[in-house]
Each structure stands twice: as C-alpha cells, then as structure tokens.
Amino acid sequence: MKERVALIESALAESIPAEWNVPERLKDAMYYSLLAGGKRLRPLLVLAAAEATGAAFVPKAALLAGCAIEMIHTYSLIHDDLPAMDNDDFRRGRPTNHKVYGEAMAILAGDGLLTHAFYTMSEAAAASGLDAPHALALVSELSAYAGARGMVGGQAADMLGEQGVTKLEELEYIHLHKTADLIVCSLRAGARIGRATETQLEALTLFGRSLGLAFQIQDDILDLTGDESKLGKPLHSDEKQQKVTYPYFIGLEASREKVGQLTQAAVDAVAGAGFAKPGRLLEFAQYLMNRDH
Amino acid sequence: MKERVALIESALAESIPAEWNVPERLKDAMYYSLLAGGKRLRPLLVLAAAEATGAAFVPKAALLAGCAIEMIHTYSLIHDDLPAMDNDDFRRGRPTNHKVYGEAMAILAGDGLLTHAFYTMSEAAAASGLDAPHALALVSELSAYAGARGMVGGQAADMLGEQGVTKLEELEYIHLHKTADLIVCSLRAGARIGRATETQLEALTLFGRSLGLAFQIQDDILDLTGDESKLGKPLHSDEKQQKVTYPYFIGLEASREKVGQLTQAAVDAVAGAGFAKPGRLLEFAQYLMNRDH
C-alpha cells in the first residue's frame, strides 16, 4: 500500500509539466492542495479495481486515471472550503487554499484542477489502448459522476440543505452524490481499464455506493468520537456548523451498525461478480470500516 | 447565420436532460447563464471551421462540440463575475448569476457547466466517428485551451495583473489566453470533426490567435467609444476598475490599426491553407472587426 501511495504521489507531483507557461502563483496554488497528502483513496481504488479484473492492464493508464480523479477530489475540497461555501480555515491541519492564496486564486486553482483532470483522463484513455467508444466512456463517466448529477449536485444539495435537511433520505442523497459518486467513478475507471464485464462494472457500482455511504457515516461518527490529532481537525465541527448527520438522525450505535451493514453489502456485491483477484478491494472495505481518521 | 444560432440555442436548451436527478436550484442557475443569449460566437466558429474543410462531417458532432465550448465560456463568465474576482452585478443587461442565486450556487453552477462541457465534448467525439486518438484529442485540447495553460491561466494573470500590469506583453498574454485560446479551440474542434490536415489546424490556430486578440482589443475600444444600449453595460467600466487596456498603452487610433492588421493576418492564414470552403470563416473575420457590441 505504501509503495502504491508513493507511486501516486510522484505521478501527481509530475502532473503539471514544468514547461507550461502558467502564472507561478496559479501553479503554486494548484500544487499546494494537490500535494497536501491525504489518503489517496480514489487513486488506490482505481488501481485495486484494475487489479481485480485479473486482466493485463497498463499500469500507467490506471495511474493517470487515479490522478485525474484525485484532481477532481482536490478541486472540490478547495471550492467547498471557500467562504461562500463551508468557510473553512483549515484542511488536513494546514490553512485552506484561499487563506494562503486568496479567494480569486483559490477559485481559479480549483477550476484549473477540474479542467486538467479531463486532460489527464484523456491521457489515461489513450494509454489504455481501449477503442474509441470505451476510451470516451472513461471521460464521460468522469464528467457524469463529478458533475451536476453527481458530486456537484451533492454539494449543491448540501448547501441548500443547510437551510434545513429534514429527512434521512435527503442526507443520503447528499452523501451518495457528494462522496460515493467519485468512489464509484474510481472503481469503474480502473475496471474499464482492466476490461471488466458489464456485470462487474455494475457490481463495483453497488460496492462503491455502499462503501461511499459507509465512509461518510464513519466521518460523521469520527467527528463525534475520533482523535483530533489523527483527524487533523477539531471534534464536533458538524454540530458547530449545525450540520445534520447520521448519528443525529438515528443515534451513534445504529450509525455504527449501518456502517457494518453497508460494508457487508459491498463485500457481497464484489464477491459474487466473478473477479479474478478481488482481494485488495475486499481489504479496502475492511480498512474503511475500521479507520480512525 | 440566424438559422445556425437558433440551432445552437435549441441544442443548448436540451443539453441538460430533463431526467437528471439534480437539485432544481442548481439546474436553474446553470440554465440562467447558459441560456442568457449572447453572440454564440464559439459554436458558430466550430460550425464554420467544420464547413471550411469541405469534408462530410456529422453536423450533430459539430453542434455538440460547439455546446461544450459554450459551456466553458459560460462558466468562465459566472466565475469571473464573482465578488472575489471582477465583482460584476450585471452581465448582458441582467443581474449576474451570484446576484440571483447567491455565491455558493454560482460557484457550483460554474463547476457544473465546466464539468458537463467534457461530457458534451465526449458525446461530440463519439458522434464524430473519429478513431480513439483523434476522438480523445477533441477532449484533451478542450482541457488544454480552457485550463491553467489556457483560459484559466489568462484569468489568473488578469487577476494578478490588477496589482499592476506594466507591459503590453503582459496584457497580450492575458488576452491571448483569456480570450483567444477558446476561439482557437473552437476552430480546431470543428476542423478536427471535418478531418482537417495538420497544416489546416495550424492555420486555424494562427487565425484564432489573431482574431481573438483583435476581438479583445475591439472590446477595449468599444468600452471607450461604444453604445451602452448595444453593449448591455455602462461605458468606461475598464477605467473604473482601473484595468489597463490596449488604448491605454498605445492610444485609440493605433488600437484600431492593430485590429485591422490582426484581422488581415487572420485572413491571410486561412486563405493560404487550401480550405475547400473558407468563405464563412473569412466573413467572421470581417464581422468581428466591424462589430459594435
């Protein structure tokens, strides 16, 4: 795992070529957030899904696809932290992008990363050797899962919901789109590069939805019971921001049970889809359920 | 021309499918700016460039590519108008997106349009019938011209330059990237769909750079000498925002001459590249030089 993370870090560090004629401050702002560490969960899932297919796949294609999705994830954090959105001053223990570079540059760094994600995904598609329809599916799915019907829609619902999320279903819509969609996208991208069958892609969609939702509920739980030094942010921030959470609706214990049930559903989906090497995917499910940050 | 604009308008109006499960307010905010009229210059250039090749091309592919680029253009206007950027309250005679929907939703509407542009371009690429490398080039070029080394970089330089653009070269960098790059992208996308040669793509790049720069200088001139009711915004807004312009550096008369020279360079580039039907492209050059809004 550590070795893979190192590979991903070095691919990300090279993702904006030195020869680009780009204002330095914009490039700095993009790299500031892109290279801020983090679990690199999404690129790791791309690699794990490609590996699960058991097919010969081009590692470079999977690595590039992982970088593309990490760029989307990173831009979304930059924009979500803006004063007009969640107004956060710290992220992973460091000042947020706009606190360092100013709001204008943070908006543009986000736009730049979002745009470059599609360049990087088209490079992944070219490296994958897939034919035109399948190569283009890598691009169009990234857009679908990241855009208005995906992650952006989830964030919009979250913003609108702050004026009062009243139902658990609304909270679930937010989590599914804000978090799960990009996880599903990562899995499908890796599997597509590994030449997965339609059935396998569908199994991974269910795996990713369940895991993404579990991941988010676990976030809610950690915000109440975690270790501040491991989380890199103060506890009870949801409460302070008057955000409704799973524990708020159904209590802490039922939330923990829900994480367990979703993890099992994820495991079952993948176990039944005839993957040649599903081991690492299944490890992920366990890891996410038991994480402390 | 009117017929083509009507085609583009109707394609844009259908570009966000009704069956999408998207927060209504986000969808409204996206459509508010996407369907706010305007010249539709970029989609028209895509169609003109495809036509110039004289090749049989799929009109649907060119129309979709035009919509994709118009989405990029529209998102850039939404984000540029934000309080942290140019802080504009009006655009084309209507309140700007964030004045109607609030800053958070305006940021997300921009992100949504930017992301959907790549879905739409991948649909265009699929409809074009091009092979994988050429289909993916449509996507990667959109990213390159719209991103940090293109339009986003131009806007960043513009923001940074407000603390003092001191040279004409810096202003030219801003115009080339902020405006010309997306025009070049439109021309190349249309020509790629029409199976243009490399030489023709290069000629269109020069045509677009010259025309894009001329377009922006014409904007600077119109801000000083235009008709407010046609422009849909008050005169002398550059001066009020302390923006340096071509007329500021070289005077009004030399700026007008420069527009003429650039237009001629554009015409020469296209005239010498062996296009089968360059007529409409050449009309564009004349139209842009003589426009009053």
Side-chain angles (χ1 to χ4, degrees), chain A residues 20-23 25 75 79 84-85 103-104 108 111 114-115 118-119 122 126 136 140 143 147 149 152-153 156 160 173, chain B residues 20-21 23 25 75 79 84-85 103-104 108 111 114-115 118-119 122 126 136 140 143 147-149 152-153 155-156 160 173:
Chain A
W20 279 17
N21 184 12
V22 171
R25 202 169 164 79
Y75 111 77
H79 282 188
M85 306 270 259
E103 269 184 71
L108 290 168
D111 292 344
L114 165 49
T115 307
F118 286 94
Y119 184 84
S122 73
L136 290 170
S140 61
S143 171
R149 56 196 147 144
V152 169
L160 295 165
Y173 176 93
Chain B
W20 278 18
N21 184 14
R25 201 168 164 78
Y75 111 77
H79 281 188
M85 305 269 261
E103 268 183 72
L108 290 167
D111 293 343
L114 165 49
T115 308
F118 285 94
Y119 186 84
S122 73
L136 290 170
S140 60
S143 172
R149 51 194 149 148
V152 169
Q155 175 66 8
L160 295 165
Y173 176 93

Side-chain angles (χ1 to χ4, degrees), chain A residues 14-204:
Chain A
E14 289 167 9
S15 61
I16 305 175
E19 65 267 23
W20 279 17
N21 184 12
V22 171
E24 274 306 312
R25 202 169 164 79
L26 173 63
K27 196 170 167 179
D28 289 349
M30 289 167 76
Y31 266 144
Y32 176 78
S33 295
L34 189 61
L35 303 182
K39 291 181 277 290
R40 307 306 187 191
L41 174 64
R42 291 152 195 85
L44 286 169
L45 286 171
V46 174
L47 294 172
E51 186 184 278
T53 62
F57 65 93
V58 185
K60 191 188 163 198
L63 205 53
L64 285 166
C67 288
I69 296 171
E70 194 69 8
M71 287 174 199
I72 296 280
H73 176 58
T74 303
Y75 111 77
S76 79
L77 300 180
I78 298 175
H79 282 188
D80 287 4
D81 286 339
L82 286 168
M85 306 270 259
D86 292 345
N87 195 21
D88 278 321
D89 291 352
F90 289 92
R91 159 84 57 190
R92 291 172 186 154
R94 299 199 315 163
T96 46
N97 200 291
H98 64 272
K99 296 304 279 186
V100 179
Y101 296 96
E103 269 184 71
M105 213 44 58
I107 293 168
L108 290 168
D111 292 344
L113 286 168
L114 165 49
T115 307
H116 194 44
F118 286 94
Y119 184 84
T120 310
M121 188 57 97
S122 73
E123 279 188 305
S128 74
L130 289 163
D131 62 16
H134 290 91
L136 290 170
L138 282 172
V139 175
S140 61
E141 284 199 357
L142 179 60
S143 171
Y145 284 112
R149 56 196 147 144
M151 189 189 69
V152 169
Q155 175 65 7
D158 196 4
M159 285 288 118
L160 295 165
E162 279 179 12
Q163 294 141 33
V165 170
T166 51
K167 291 188 214 139
L168 189 60
E169 289 75 40
E170 289 169 25
L171 184 64
E172 201 161 292
Y173 176 93
I174 293 168
H175 286 344
L176 278 176
H177 292 293
K178 201 173 154 172
T179 306
D181 275 349
L182 219 52
I183 287 176
V184 170
C185 184
S186 304
L187 295 160
R188 291 177 63 97
R192 281 185 175 283
I193 289 168
R195 274 66 172 168
T197 64
E198 265 309 315
T199 310
Q200 288 174 331
L201 290 175
E202 276 163 34
L204 286 175

